[in-house]
Amino acid sequence: MRIFLPLLFLVIFVCPAFSVGKTDSLLAVLKTELAKQKIYDDQKELRIKKLKQKLDATAQNDFNTQYDICSKLYEEYKVYQFDSAYVYAQKLITISKRANNAVHLNESKIKMSFLLLSAGMFTETFESLNQVNTHLLGNESKLQYYSIKSRAYSDLADYNNDKNYAPFDQREAVKFIDSAIAMAKPNSFEWLYHLGNKQVISNNVQKPSPYYTELLNHYKLTDHQRAMVATGLSYFYEGPYQSEDRTRLMAIGAINDIRSSTKETLAIFKLGQQLYIKGNVEDAYTFIEEAMDDAQFYGARLRKIQIGAVLPIIAAQKILVADKKSLQAENEKNRFLVYFLSITVFAIVIALVSFIVFIQLKRVKVKEKIIEDKNVQLEKINERLIEDTHIKEEYIGYFFNVISGYILKLEKLKRGIERKLATKKYEDILVSINEINIKKERETLFYTFDHVFLKIFPNFINTFNSLFKKEDQIWPKDNEVLNTDLRIFALMRLGINDNETIANILEYSVNTIYVYKMRIKAKALVPSDQFDHKIMDIKAVDLVNKQ
């Protein structure tokens, strides 16, 4: 299904002409703009705040001023946040009725229709449009009315995609876009833009639209206008050898959507799909996820459904690519089953090795206490590996080499003891056992754990410290990766919440772990009962794009 972009006044933003630079350069610009997104949003919020203050200061009986300010607030919100835009569209209707202004009332219903359509509410959209008395509208309002109605029929045709109903909806879309063109001033932005829209609606996209091209190359456009035109023009580059042009145009649309704080947008979603088709899974996932964030922020119901159908597929492919890079393993479809079976095999192998070593040392009957202690430690390692099966598959992969190292050491120890048993060098057995530095092995394990954990949760330390005042924050020393305080809550983030388990891992008493937790939680800025939830809310980096 192809969504009809151009008519969405929400597609926003701009970059000079679409021929501007290579695809990689535009994608780099887009990522930079994503990082600056909050700056643009804050600027919009400031404009909104000033308008609201001005509205509050307006006299209750000054309907014209109220209508003017509410119209500006509606324009700020209409492609930014559906709920708020809906509130001000309702206010416009109320003000128009109180002022007994039929012209304003009909204009307000057109604005409401745009919002309902943006949210994917087709029935409500047509009901709202049918309430509009076009005889009371000026040329500009009629143009908006016809363009919205054309878009409603076009979007409905795309959504239904039914051979019985879609042709009628398509014909209605063309009829109303013709009416919009007739109302527009020749050679104006609206005139050229709707002529391009008609080509898209009519599926006349075999050659690049001269109208869109004219707008991009020779007209001074706002960010919002350039985004709409660039996105619309991308539909004219669907051939097998035109993917680069199509990608560049959608990137231009997405860049300008961000610059104008447009959340009801399709450009970045379509860009993500295009990159996925080209095999750029990392960027595809990043942009599709951003599209979902925008749709949720705006409240675009239909858009969330559309994105939700694509996002899991790309996410799964992204994870498969990440596995291939990190583990250099076969790129199999059932990745989760492979990991589970692999860990099970490793656990069984370690258990068998532990049993063999225990039996051999028991026969010798030398230093039974040392042998028993060693066996207990091996069993603890085995238990830790079993617990690791509940952690993210990526974490298990990172510890593959560590586990393999232990197996090699055990095999080497086993062969050495067998040789010494065969030659009856019992004292040498004790020397071999004493060469095992348990403390050093544990430090190595913690070092690996800390680095792997921070690779998966690179923002953990900063996010953790954001829960405290500056003087109470906990930072590792220069020679540390994580300290004990941070490591306790790192284990909690991985799902290890039992104090006894944490105490066993860190070689502390259960009471000591309890005291650590209570002391840290007492200094937090959030209530103690919410602290654990805040820890669990710390997000892991996206396995391909953000590692």
Side-chain angles (χ1 to χ4, degrees), residues 316-332 335-336 339 393-394 543-544:
Q317 184 63 31
K318 174 179 176 290
I319 293 173
L320 288 174
V321 173
D323 294 337
K324 184 176 181 180
K325 290 181 178 180
S326 60
L327 302 177
Q328 296 182 347
E330 294 182 3
N331 186 13
E332 301 177 356
R335 179 178 56 85
F336 298 100
Y339 281 145
E393 295 80 4
E394 292 73 24
L543 298 177
V544 171

Side-chain angles (χ1 to χ4, degrees), residues 170-192:
Q170 209 69 27
R171 287 193 298 272
E172 289 296 295
V174 172
K175 181 179 75 175
F176 284 107
I177 201 65
D178 282 339
S179 298
I181 293 169
M183 300 306 303
K185 182 180 178 181
N187 297 316
S188 65
F189 169 81
E190 291 78 11
W191 188 74
L192 291 171

Side-chain angles (χ1 to χ4, degrees), residues 97-123:
K97 289 180 178 179
R98 290 176 61 191
N100 196 26
N101 190 324
V103 174
H104 282 178
L105 179 59
N106 281 274
E107 290 175 349
S108 301
K109 289 179 180 179
I110 293 174
K111 290 178 169 63
M112 179 63 76
S113 301
F114 173 85
L115 288 178
L116 295 172
L117 181 57
S118 297
M121 303 165 67
F122 292 109
T123 301

Side-chain angles (χ1 to χ4, degrees), residues 2 4-9 11 143 146-148 150-151 154 170 173-174 177-178 180-181 189-205 209 211-212 215 228-229 231-233 235-236:
R2 186 181 72 186
F4 176 48
L5 258 273
L7 275 178
L8 305 177
F9 292 140
V11 186
L143 191 155
Y146 290 132
S147 64
I148 292 172
S150 174
R151 174 193 160 193
S154 178
Q170 209 69 27
V174 172
I177 201 65
D178 282 339
I181 293 169
F189 169 81
E190 291 78 11
W191 188 74
L192 291 171
Y193 179 66
H194 288 307
L195 283 170
N197 283 347
K198 182 179 179 180
Q199 288 184 279
V200 177
I201 294 174
S202 305
N203 199 30
N204 181 18
V205 294
S209 170
Y211 311 112
Y212 285 152
L215 285 172
M228 290 192 297
V229 175
T231 306
L233 186 57
Y235 284 104
F236 293 82

Side-chain angles (χ1 to χ4, degrees), residues 44-52 73 76-77:
K44 175 175 277 291
E45 291 289 349
L46 180 59
R47 293 195 301 271
I48 290 171
K49 181 180 179 181
K50 291 179 179 179
L51 286 171
K52 288 181 177 179
L73 282 165
E76 289 289 351
Y77 274 124

Side-chain angles (χ1 to χ4, degrees), residues 360-544:
Q360 294 292 337
L361 293 178
K362 186 177 180 180
R363 291 175 181 176
V364 178
K365 293 184 179 181
V366 177
K367 303 296 183 180
E368 289 186 355
K369 184 65 173 64
I370 296 176
I371 297 173
E372 290 174 0
D373 291 341
K374 185 62 180 178
N375 190 51
V376 168
Q377 291 186 18
L378 290 173
E379 288 177 352
K380 288 182 179 179
I381 294 173
N382 183 40
E383 291 172 358
R384 188 179 302 117
L385 290 173
I386 294 174
E387 290 175 358
D388 285 346
T389 60
H390 300 293
I391 301 174
K392 297 179 183 294
E393 295 80 4
E394 292 73 24
Y395 209 95
I396 295 171
Y398 284 120
F399 273 95
F400 175 86
N401 290 334
V402 176
I403 296 171
S404 299
Y406 281 127
I407 293 175
L408 292 175
K409 289 180 181 179
L410 289 173
E411 288 182 340
K412 183 178 180 181
L413 177 62
K414 174 178 174 293
R415 289 196 297 268
I417 291 175
E418 288 177 341
R419 287 196 300 271
K420 290 178 177 59
L421 283 173
T423 57
K424 298 183 179 181
K425 294 181 180 180
Y426 303 128
E427 294 300 326
D428 290 346
I429 293 175
L430 178 59
V431 172
S432 297
I433 293 174
N434 287 335
E435 288 177 352
I436 301 174
N437 189 335
I438 301 301
K439 180 179 179 181
K440 183 177 180 181
E441 293 294 331
R442 186 170 293 278
E443 289 176 351
T444 300
L445 181 62
F446 285 163
Y447 179 85
T448 305
F449 169 85
D450 295 348
H451 277 274
V452 172
F453 180 83
L454 289 181
K455 193 168 187 179
I456 297 177
F457 299 91
N459 297 322
F460 177 81
I461 297 176
N462 290 334
T463 307
F464 178 87
N465 279 309
S466 70
L467 301 174
F468 300 91
K469 295 179 181 178
K470 186 173 183 180
E471 60 270 19
D472 294 327
Q473 292 178 352
I474 302 170
W475 298 92
K477 298 178 181 178
D478 292 339
N479 61 339
E480 295 177 330
V481 182
L482 294 177
N483 54 31
T484 301
D485 293 341
L486 294 170
R487 195 175 291 124
I488 289 172
F489 289 95
L491 290 168
M492 286 181 60
R493 178 60 187 85
L494 294 175
I496 305 174
N497 296 306
D498 181 59
N499 286 343
E500 184 175 354
T501 303
I502 296 175
N504 289 336
I505 293 174
L506 300 181
E507 288 194 325
Y508 287 102
S509 69
V510 176
N511 186 59
T512 299
I513 297 300
Y514 178 82
V515 171
Y516 265 107
K517 286 184 176 181
M518 291 303 101
R519 174 175 57 81
I520 292 171
K521 289 181 180 181
K523 297 179 181 181
L525 296 173
V526 298
S528 179
D529 58 346
Q530 296 181 18
F531 188 81
D532 289 353
H533 294 294
K534 293 292 184 181
I535 294 298
M536 297 305 294
D537 286 341
I538 296 175
K539 301 296 183 183
V541 154
D542 294 334
L543 298 177
V544 171

